[in-house]
Amino acid sequence: MKRIAILTGGGDAPGLNAVIRAAVKTAIQQYGCEVIGIRDGYDGFIDEQGIMPLWLEDVRGLLSRGGTILGAANRGNPFARKVIRGGTEIVVDVSEEIIKGIERLHLDALLVLGGDGTLHIAHELSHKGVPVIGVPKTIDNDIGGTDITFGFDTALAIATEAIDRLHTTAEAHHRVMILELMGRDAGFIALHAGVAGGADVILIPEIPFKFEAIVAKVRQRVENGTLFSIMAVSEGAKPAGGEKVYARGGDEVYVPRLGGISQVVGEYIEKQGFETRVTVLGHLQRGGTPTAFDRWLATRYGAAAVRVAAQGRFDRMVALRSGSVIDIPLGEAIAVPKRVDVHGDAVLTARNTGISFGDE
Ligand code: F6P
């Protein structure tokens, strides 16, 4: 193995830099291999300034740094790229250009640090002969085949702290406080933070809710003498028989952006006579320094990805299973997105401790 490249695709997540650091250190120190960083996801293969060498000094001090030194791009799907041709916006497939860009670099491996979308592209590229290894990144924790993705633990810590902070002001003002959390179609952040922060109601995409059931919970608390309530609401939550709420629609290039369900729920509760405020935590969940757990996981993933590359096994993804880092076929990892098990112990624990999912 002489030369490997690393790219970070999709939205950023805390721990990306820690993976890059571990991969660079392992590749150079263990295998005497040259490492190249690809800027702004797959775009870097076709941009003039898209390639940067990565040496040991480039990754010094990166463990605790959020974001990614390589840049990331949500528009980076090479199979559907919006470009302006003759003054008109059209969607083109630039994957052949990307593959040519990869071939020009004579890579022995390409480490792709990404979520669902980026890993799907990686899998398609591997069918075209690119030696790909995936590393599961996302605060949403929605990648199959792995117990956890890096970035999730940090988002969870930030979301839990937000719930803690809302608690004191909710209690002081006798209000219902709603916190909208990210996660796309997976409710892991809201579920875990809701349990860790002691929310009274958790709404997740996997369990459609009824407005009346939420209000019943708030009312019951008031009748029992507790004049405030805390709700952790996943951006992908939706009412039974209703639709998800989007801040912006999608198209063949961009995925639709969820957002706004907490406002809808908040207005309903307020109309029932309970003063309510809504907080949307947004990208605070993705920014800043990773937790110790995410640094630890990211470092293990980065080193493991290089070891798998050195063994010449491609179209694989590193994964955490029962505490051990292993590698699995990339196709298996992306086949079925991971969702909250509505009959699993996490949901059961929440119900046991009096948390309502707004469904009964
Ligand atoms: O997938 C990570 C995530 O943060 C989701 O939780 C959220 O829905 C989305 O990305 C936001 O995307 P953007 O950064 O494009 O606003």
Side-chain angles (χ1 to χ4, degrees):
M1 188 168 69
K2 293 195 176 65
R3 180 185 262 188
I4 67 169
I6 306 176
L7 72 78
T8 56
D12 68 339
L16 279 167
N17 281 326
V19 177
I20 295 169
R21 172 183 173 273
V24 168
K25 278 175 161 263
T26 307
I28 294 176
Q29 293 175 339
Q30 193 70 37
Y31 297 100
C33 174
E34 183 190 354
V35 188
I36 296 170
I38 310 300
R39 287 201 169 99
D40 298 337
Y42 296 104
D43 283 6
F45 288 115
I46 49 177
D47 288 348
E48 267 175 34
Q49 308 294 322
I51 307 293
M52 62 189 268
L54 289 173
W55 303 107
L56 291 176
E57 54 269 29
D58 296 312
V59 297
R60 201 163 289 142
L62 278 195
L63 251 185
S64 58
R65 209 195 304 170
T68 160
I69 57 164
L70 296 177
N74 263 355
R75 66 182 183 290
N77 183 356
F79 296 93
R81 173 70 47 83
K82 227 175 227 177
V83 293
I84 308 287
R85 295 255 166 97
T88 317
E89 201 175 66
I90 55 165
V91 175
V92 292
D93 179 347
V94 295
S95 59
E96 284 308 319
E97 272 178 74
I98 300 242
I99 287 167
K100 280 196 195 114
I102 296 172
E103 282 167 1
R104 272 196 297 275
L105 292 173
H106 300 293
L107 298 178
D108 295 304
L110 170 62
L111 308 193
V112 176
L113 285 44
D116 191 45
T118 306
L119 293 177
H120 265 95
I121 296 164
H123 188 49
E124 287 188 53
L125 288 175
S126 91
H127 285 155
K128 298 190 176 225
V130 179
V132 160
I133 313 261
V135 182
K137 163 240 69 167
T138 169
I139 63 164
D140 305 338
N141 198 29
D142 61 352
I143 308 285
T146 184
D147 291 345
I148 191 160
T149 56
F150 74 86
F152 172 67
D153 186 68
T154 306
L156 173 58
I158 295 164
T160 304
E161 192 196 336
I163 294 177
D164 288 347
R165 288 179 182 278
L166 288 176
H167 247 113
T168 56
T169 174
E171 194 166 5
H173 284 273
H174 315 310
R175 283 173 174 161
V176 177
M177 285 292 188
I178 304 182
L179 180 65
E180 182 170 309
L181 296 162
M182 283 185 165
R184 286 195 211 274
D185 297 316
F188 293 104
I189 300 176
L191 173 61
H192 291 221
V195 170
D200 307 296
V201 177
I202 297 175
L203 303 182
I204 56 173
E206 294 86 348
I207 305 179
F209 65 84
K210 299 185 199 99
F211 288 100
E212 314 79 57
I214 300 168
V215 172
K217 174 73 182 177
V218 171
R219 184 168 290 122
Q220 178 207 51
R221 282 174 59 80
V222 170
E223 284 167 4
N224 290 342
T226 310
L227 304 180
F228 72 96
S229 291
I230 303 286
M231 296 180 54
V233 176
S234 191
E235 61 182 1
K238 62 170 198 261
E243 297 300 329
K244 287 180 234 166
V245 178
Y246 291 94
R248 195 194 66 187
D251 55 27
E252 69 245 84
V253 177
Y254 293 102
V255 290
R257 197 190 314 139
L258 286 159
I261 184 63
S262 53
Q263 202 61 45
V264 175
V265 171
E267 278 165 23
Y268 186 92
I269 297 173
E270 189 133 288
K271 278 196 192 123
Q272 310 304 309
F274 302 99
E275 193 181 0
T276 305
R277 294 290 186 273
V278 171
T279 303
V280 179
L281 198 54
H283 293 78
L284 288 173
Q285 291 158 96
R286 294 215 316 238
T289 190
T291 57
F293 178 83
D294 269 336
R295 297 181 206 184
W296 157 236
L297 182 63
T299 300
R300 294 169 75 196
Y301 278 163
V306 175
R307 292 197 300 269
V308 176
Q311 290 160 10
R313 292 184 302 120
F314 298 110
D315 200 17
R316 315 275 304 168
M317 184 188 85
V318 293
L320 188 76
R321 291 256 185 99
S322 309
S324 294
V325 172
I326 57 164
D327 61 278
I328 60 174
L330 190 47
E332 181 189 316
I334 58 175
V336 184
K338 194 168 66 174
R339 299 289 180 253
V340 169
D341 176 1
V342 298
H343 304 295
D345 87 281
V347 169
L348 208 54
T349 299
R351 292 194 195 277
N352 290 161
T353 55
I355 295 172
S356 165
F357 287 91
D359 60 333
E360 50 191 35

